[in-house]
């Protein structure tokens, strides 16, 4: 482990942190999100016969999970390659790829994309939400799950010699299931051995992030090296956000570019706009949390690629950063984030 201490492990090998450049901490380049297939809400416009035509782009943005083909991002490797080249031209350096076991992680393709584009890619170890756990995963002990995660980081994953550089995104539902609790405990045990970061996908409830941190901490995890994802669809009230921020994890706003009227997984949630996300970042910066904020897009569907009229992986660099600079966030603080 001493050889990796202080390094960032990419799919092409370890790097010094100074080599990363601008980094998106929560993206997917090759993923199968088919398990998210969700019928259109009652009374909504039916799925068009050919949804990927220009006149249907608005429908697809509003109903991304009601079109099964839209959930198969792994079919668009060529388009993703072009996106990464654009990302690099726009000042991007690194992508942390959060696809884990259960949603078709593809390490050889990640390595090829990195070689082809010059963008550093950090792959994620571990397991996604319970709905994607195999029977073999559910039957594993915490010790066995720990061994799997450690091996994916130290030796390689999915039968390859390509090593992961973070643990995550580790998926949880709400309430957290028994299988997910085992994975969380294994994640903490693996992190204690490895010292690497953990990235968490919390369930869609304001209480979920704190409960996850409790489980991790009790199992020996390092909260200061843990990223809590998707806060923009999870904690909405400023007082609750500050209470959670005090627990010490990284605070990730990672749905930039996602704006929809009805969030199908939790209809009580009003998905914020990008302007509201920027306001939340500015609030956290004013309260002294500029060193604990990370941001990203969490692209995992085809419609968010520029090929299909979406914002692409460069949206934050091209559009959100200039907005941040007009809302009281300094260039130095942007650079940190």
């Amino acid at each position: 482990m001493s050889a990796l201490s202080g390094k960032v492990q990419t799919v092409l090998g370890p790097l010094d942190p100074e080599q990363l450049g601008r980094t998106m901490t929560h993206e997917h380049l090759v993923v199968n999100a088919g398990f998210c297939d969700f019928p259109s809400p009652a009374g909504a416009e039916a799925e068009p016969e050919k949804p990927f035509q220009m006149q249907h782009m608005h429908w697809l943005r509003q109903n991304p999970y009601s079109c099964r083909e839209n959930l198969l991002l792994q079919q668009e490797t060529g388009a993703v390659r072009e996106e990464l080249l654009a990302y690099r031209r726009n000042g991007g350096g690194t992508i942390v790829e959060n696809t884990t076991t259960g949603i078709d992680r593809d390490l050889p393709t990640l390595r090829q994309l990195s070689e082809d584009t010059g963008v550093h890619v950090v792959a994620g170890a571990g397991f996604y939400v319970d709905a994607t756990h195999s029977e073999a995963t559910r039957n594993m002990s915490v010790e066995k799950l720990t061994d799997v995660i450690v091996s994916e980081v130290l030796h390689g994953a999915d039968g390859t010699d390509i090593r992961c550089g973070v643990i995550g995104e580790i998926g949880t539902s709400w309430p957290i299931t028994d299988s997910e609790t085992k994975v969380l405990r294994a994640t903490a045990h693996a992190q204690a051995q490895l010292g690497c970061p953990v990235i968490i996908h919390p369930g869609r409830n304001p209480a979920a992030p704190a409960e996850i941190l409790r489980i991790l901490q009790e199992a020996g995890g390092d909260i200061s090296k843990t990223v809590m994802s998707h806060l923009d669809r999870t904690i909405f009230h400023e007082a609750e956000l500050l209470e959670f921020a005090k627990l010490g994890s990284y605070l990730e706003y990672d749905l930039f570019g996602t704006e929809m009227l009805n969030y199908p997984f939790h209809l009580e949630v009003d998905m914020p706009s990008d302007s509201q996300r920027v306001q939340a970042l500015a609030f956290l910066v004013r309260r002294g949390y500029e060193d604990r904020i990370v941001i990203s897009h969490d692209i995992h569907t085809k419609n968010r690629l520029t090929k299909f009229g979406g914002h692409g992986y460069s949206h934050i660099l091209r559009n959100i950063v200039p907005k941040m600079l007009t809302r009281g966030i300094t260039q130095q603080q942007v650079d940190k984030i």
Side-chain angles (χ1 to χ4, degrees):
M1 287 304 300
S2 59
L4 289 176
S5 181
K7 302 286 187 179
V8 177
Q9 185 159 264
T10 76
V11 294
L12 298 181
L15 293 177
D16 292 323
E18 294 76 20
Q19 297 176 267
L20 294 181
R22 292 279 197 268
T23 300
M24 298 295 126
T25 52
H26 196 121
E27 302 294 349
H28 300 274
L29 304 177
V30 186
V31 65
N32 180 351
F35 81 99
C36 292
D37 195 9
F38 207 94
S40 299
E45 180 186 351
E47 179 181 347
E49 184 179 347
K50 296 180 179 179
F52 287 92
Q53 295 179 338
M54 182 62 70
Q55 64 265 36
H56 302 310
M57 288 298 102
H58 178 72
W59 180 91
L60 208 48
R61 282 195 296 272
Q62 294 301 315
N63 303 279
Y65 304 105
S66 299
C67 172
R68 185 160 184 82
E69 184 183 348
N70 194 42
L71 305 177
L72 307 178
L73 186 64
Q74 76 270 36
Q75 296 177 342
E76 295 294 338
T77 302
V80 169
R81 181 181 293 108
E82 294 304 310
E83 293 271 2
L84 291 180
L85 290 169
Y87 176 68
R88 191 177 180 195
R89 289 195 299 270
N90 282 283
T94 300
I95 295 283
V96 183
E97 217 280 358
N98 280 247
T99 305
T100 44
T101 299
I103 46 177
D104 291 4
R105 178 176 53 199
D106 185 344
L107 292 166
T109 298
L110 296 184
R111 180 163 60 183
Q112 190 65 55
L113 285 169
S114 185
E115 290 175 346
D116 291 349
T117 64
V119 174
H120 306 303
V121 176
V122 180
F127 302 85
Y128 196 49
V129 296
D130 187 297
T132 70
H133 290 185
S134 66
E135 280 305 305
T137 297
R138 289 195 180 93
N139 290 330
M140 286 185 196
S141 64
V142 172
E143 292 73 22
K144 176 59 178 174
L145 290 165
T146 302
D147 290 344
V148 170
I149 295 170
V150 169
S151 181
E152 289 180 345
V153 173
L154 291 185
H155 305 298
D158 304 333
T160 76
D161 62 355
I162 304 170
R163 291 179 270 182
C164 300
V166 300
I167 303 172
E169 63 184 307
I170 299 298
T172 62
S173 314
W174 187 260
I176 301 169
T177 70
D178 291 343
S179 190
E180 290 167 347
T181 298
K182 285 197 302 179
V183 169
L184 285 173
R185 290 173 178 156
T187 294
H189 295 170
Q191 185 188 43
Q193 293 183 43
L194 299 166
C196 68
V198 164
I199 302 176
I200 298 292
H201 164 104
R204 297 169 180 87
N205 186 287
E211 176 64 10
I212 292 163
L213 293 190
R214 182 191 67 78
I215 294 169
L216 290 172
Q217 199 158 33
E218 288 181 356
D222 185 347
I223 301 308
S224 72
K225 284 187 173 184
T226 298
V227 177
M228 190 58 63
S229 305
H230 313 326
L231 288 181
D232 31 356
R233 57 82 161 144
T234 310
I235 300 179
F236 296 96
H237 299 295
E238 290 182 348
E240 292 180 9
L241 180 59
L242 289 178
E243 280 301 305
F244 177 73
K246 290 176 185 175
L247 298 179
S249 75
Y250 281 90
L251 311 169
E252 186 170 85
Y253 282 72
D254 52 30
L255 297 175
F256 278 98
T258 294
E259 298 181 330
M260 62 177 66
L261 283 175
N262 297 304
Y263 184 51
F265 304 109
H266 197 336
L267 291 175
E268 294 180 7
V269 167
D270 288 324
M271 183 65 71
S273 68
D274 280 355
S275 291
Q276 289 170 311
R277 292 183 178 102
V278 171
Q279 291 169 8
L281 299 183
F283 169 74
L284 288 168
V285 167
R286 290 194 303 271
R287 294 304 181 99
Y289 288 100
E290 64 190 61
D291 293 321
R292 307 302 293 174
I293 300 170
V294 285
I295 60 177
S296 209
H297 309 93
D298 190 20
I299 291 174
H300 57 278
T301 56
K302 293 181 182 181
N303 71 296
R304 297 178 68 194
L305 302 177
T306 56
K307 173 182 176 179
F308 299 110
H311 52 79
Y313 298 95
S314 302
H315 174 53
I316 285 175
L317 297 177
R318 295 180 62 185
N319 304 312
I320 300 304
V321 165
K323 179 80 171 183
M324 292 166 70
L325 294 172
T326 70
R327 292 297 182 265
I329 303 175
T330 68
Q331 185 65 57
Q332 182 183 25
Q333 290 164 336
V334 166
D335 292 342
K336 283 184 180 182
I337 292 170

